[in-house]
Amino acid sequence: MAQARKVATYVLVIFVLYTIINQPARAADLVQVGFVGISNAAKSIGQFMHDLVN
């Protein structure tokens, strides 16, 4: 199982590097989408806590 995890990690790293090298604009878009998703999740949690307190 540990060997499979190591192989999956290497494959993921290779894929990320390949995407960054061959399509930097697309890679930047994907990073932006990820940060927007994290930001929206944080806002939703903040709104939930605010509503919970009130």
Side-chain angles (χ1 to χ4, degrees), residues 5-26:
R5 176 184 267 175
K6 188 183 289 188
V7 170
T9 302
Y10 285 137
V11 169
L12 181 64
V13 168
I14 290 169
F15 174 73
V16 168
L17 291 175
Y18 174 79
T19 302
I20 290 171
I21 291 169
N22 286 328
Q23 299 174 349
R26 177 150 163 68

Side-chain angles (χ1 to χ4, degrees), residues 1 3 10 15 19-20 23 25-28 38 41 44-46 50-51 53:
M1 189 65 172
Q3 194 73 359
Y10 285 137
F15 174 73
T19 302
I20 290 171
Q23 299 174 349
R26 177 150 163 68
I38 292 169
S44 296
I45 291 171
H50 181 267
D51 292 344
V53 169

Side-chain angles (χ1 to χ4, degrees), residues 24-46:
R26 177 150 163 68
D29 289 341
L30 292 175
V31 170
Q32 183 179 8
V33 166
F35 280 119
V36 167
I38 292 169
S39 174
N40 288 342
K43 287 178 187 175
S44 296
I45 291 171

